[in-house]
């Protein structure tokens, strides 16, 4: 792991879990594996240096004497006491923590903070299209308080459903639209659209996940542009897969463009000066207390605009991962 003695581990005090994300990402980026070993405490872990208030709070929540043996000395004992089903669940899938098996880790997307812009009725700017859940953006600001995806999916889902039903009742069935003529075919050797999708997934994992840099964004956009110059072959994968991959490519372009525009760190967006750096730039208030809106402009070009959010007049909720 990357926890070197004397390393200036970065990150704002409010979001210390990013230190682990960055460390894991840096290792996997180099092609190495990161695993959790539940058989012993991490080397160098000095529990005496941990904030006693944190221990007390945790012991209180779980009603377990976590600072006493065996919990103090064994991550597996702690895990079994707190979440025994997870140990059984992993064993059923071939990872036996009790036998000393290691649990491999990798960064993954838990929630997309942005999304389709909606109004208070969950309506998008496309008439008749409503969005709710994770696909709808702008409800959480730069970060999502733990558990708030429920608000996305249930509260906004109810609103979206109600709005869509009201609109449907008030509308006449639309006449079918003529199909738009297909775009001019790209040139060059066709590439299997499944390969296109894998390439986009990989480039987004590398350029737009934990570590974002100007160089990574530039290279990612260039890779996307290169893919777009070749015809995408959907003979095996089918038209639906092709259409979805076109949308994925568009979203990837939008995300990379937004990542490159916000030259600070905020919430889960961590922006670094170089690919080698392990310390994200700090957040830059008041310049970047803004959110970004992307749309298609003249001749299909992406237009990006920074807007000021409505300032809440209630206390801001602290982020808790979840
Ligand atoms: C590991 C992990 C842990 C999480 N933990 C928490 C947590 O503790 N608390 C919390 O609040 N949130 C958590 N989240 C986030 C939360 O689970 C999601 O934000 C939420 O489930 C999103 O719900 P959704 O209905 O918007 O989207 P989804 O659940 O993604 O539903 C979209 C559905 O659309 C379907 N679909 C896609 N394309 C098509 C198509 N073309 N035609 C028809 N159907 C289609 C998909 O199959 C899917 O069923 C977690 C997420 C992850 C990944």
């Amino acid at each position: 792991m990357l926890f070197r003695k004397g390393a200036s581990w970065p990150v704002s005090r409010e979001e210390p879990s990013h230190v682990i994300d960055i460390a894991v990402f840096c290792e996997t980026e180099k092609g190495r594996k990161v695993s959790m070993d539940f058989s012993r405490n991490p080397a160098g872990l000095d529990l005496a240096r941990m904030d006693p208030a944190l221990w007390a709070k945790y012991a209180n929540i779980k009603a377990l004497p976590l600072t006493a043996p065996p919990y103090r000395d064994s991550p597996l004992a702690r895990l079994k006491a707190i979440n025994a089903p997870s140990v059984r669940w992993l064993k059923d899938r071939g990872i036996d923590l009790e036998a000393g098996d290691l649990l491999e880790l990798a960064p993954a997307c838990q929630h997309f903070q942005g999304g389709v812009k909606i109004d208070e009725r969950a309506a998008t700017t496309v008439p008749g299209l409503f969005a709710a859940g994770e696909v709808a953006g702008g409800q959480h600001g730069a970060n999502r308080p733990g558990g708030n995806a429920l608000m996305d999916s249930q509260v906004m889902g109810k609103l979206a459903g109600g709005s869509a039903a009201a609109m449907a009742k008030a509308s006449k069935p639309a006449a079918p639209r003529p199909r738009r003529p297909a775009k001019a075919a790209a040139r060059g050797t066709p590439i299997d659209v499944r390969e296109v999708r894998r390439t986009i997934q990989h480039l987004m994992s590398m350029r737009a996940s934990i570590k974002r840099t100007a160089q990574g964004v530039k290279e990612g956009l260039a890779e996307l542009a290169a893919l777009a110059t070749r015809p995408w072959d959907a003979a095996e994968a089918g038209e639906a897969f092709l259409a979805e991959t076109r949308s994925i490519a568009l979203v990837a372009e939008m995300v990379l463009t937004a990542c490159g525009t916000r030259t600070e760190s905020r919430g889960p967006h961590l922006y670094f000066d170089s690919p080698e750096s392990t310390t994200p730039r700090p957040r830059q208030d008041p310049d970047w207390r803004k959110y970004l809106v992307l749309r298609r402009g003249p001749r299909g070009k992406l237009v990006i605009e920074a807007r000021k959010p409505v300032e809440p007049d209630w206390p801001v909720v602290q982020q808790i991962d979840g």
Side-chain angles (χ1 to χ4, degrees):
M1 280 283 273
L2 269 180
F3 293 99
R4 280 169 288 137
K5 234 184 176 174
S8 58
W9 283 98
V11 205
S12 65
R13 279 200 342 215
E14 310 92 71
E15 282 145 9
S17 66
H18 287 162
V19 177
I20 305 208
D21 299 338
I22 295 166
V24 172
F25 182 80
C26 290
E27 294 299 296
T28 48
E29 198 182 22
K30 290 176 197 139
R32 296 204 278 254
K33 288 188 173 180
V34 179
S35 304
M36 278 171 84
D37 178 358
F38 282 86
S39 64
R40 58 200 157 105
N41 282 332
L45 177 73
D46 182 358
L47 293 178
R49 284 179 55 206
M50 283 181 71
D51 184 349
L54 269 181
W55 275 111
K57 188 174 162 198
Y58 205 69
N60 191 26
I61 295 170
K62 299 291 174 188
L64 281 170
L66 288 176
T67 47
Y71 308 116
R72 190 193 62 194
D73 306 320
S74 160
L76 183 59
R78 293 197 287 274
L79 181 64
K80 275 164 75 179
I82 294 164
N83 190 355
S86 68
V87 179
R88 285 197 296 275
W89 190 89
L90 286 168
K91 192 172 178 181
D92 290 346
R93 283 152 185 86
I95 300 165
D96 188 351
L97 299 182
E98 288 176 300
D101 287 352
L102 301 179
L103 185 62
E104 194 182 333
L105 296 179
C109 285
Q110 199 204 16
H111 190 270
F112 193 83
Q113 302 294 91
V116 181
K117 198 151 170 30
I118 54 169
D119 66 14
E120 66 282 3
R121 295 171 308 126
T124 70
T125 51
V126 177
L129 183 67
F130 298 84
E134 197 171 320
V135 78
Q139 293 153 75
H140 309 296
N143 217 342
R144 177 180 67 98
N148 251 28
L150 276 183
M151 193 261 291
D152 280 351
S153 57
Q154 298 185 15
V155 178
M156 295 311 289
K158 183 172 188 293
L159 273 169
S163 305
M167 184 172 183
K169 268 190 197 162
S171 314
K172 291 195 183 113
R177 286 203 201 163
R179 282 189 79 162
R180 277 209 237 153
K183 272 200 201 166
R187 289 159 191 271
T189 330
I191 176 169
D192 188 321
V193 67
R194 291 168 297 186
E195 181 58 28
V196 171
R197 194 180 287 197
R198 274 194 294 273
T199 306
I200 298 174
Q201 283 169 337
H202 183 256
L203 85 87
M204 292 303 282
S205 298
M206 291 294 117
R207 322 277 194 206
S209 61
I210 308 290
K211 281 184 78 175
R212 295 155 175 197
T213 61
Q215 185 186 323
V217 165
K218 196 171 153 201
E219 287 170 2
L221 287 170
E223 280 181 68
L224 280 178
L227 284 173
T229 60
R230 293 172 62 183
W232 296 357
D233 177 2
E236 296 276 330
E239 288 299 313
F241 192 92
L242 175 66
E244 209 175 56
T245 309
R246 284 206 186 104
S247 298
I248 289 170
L250 174 60
V251 171
E253 187 188 351
M254 294 169 92
V255 170
L256 280 169
T257 305
C259 287
T261 305
R262 186 177 286 280
T263 51
E264 59 142 15
S265 301
R266 186 174 298 266
H269 169 76
L270 302 177
Y271 194 84
F272 295 76
D273 283 322
S274 71
E276 295 73 38
S277 169
T278 51
T279 309
R281 277 189 196 174
R283 110 194 210 169
Q284 274 153 37
D285 286 338
D287 291 356
W288 270 114
R289 280 184 75 90
K290 290 172 189 156
Y291 68 101
L292 297 170
V293 180
L294 288 106
R295 63 188 155 78
R296 282 260 179 247
R299 290 184 296 283
K301 262 191 88 73
L302 274 187
V303 176
I304 187 159
E305 187 193 333
R307 294 189 195 165
K308 272 189 162 282
V310 178
E311 292 289 341
D313 54 7
W314 58 86
V316 176
V317 181
Q318 283 289 317
Q319 160 74 14
I320 304 164
D321 292 335

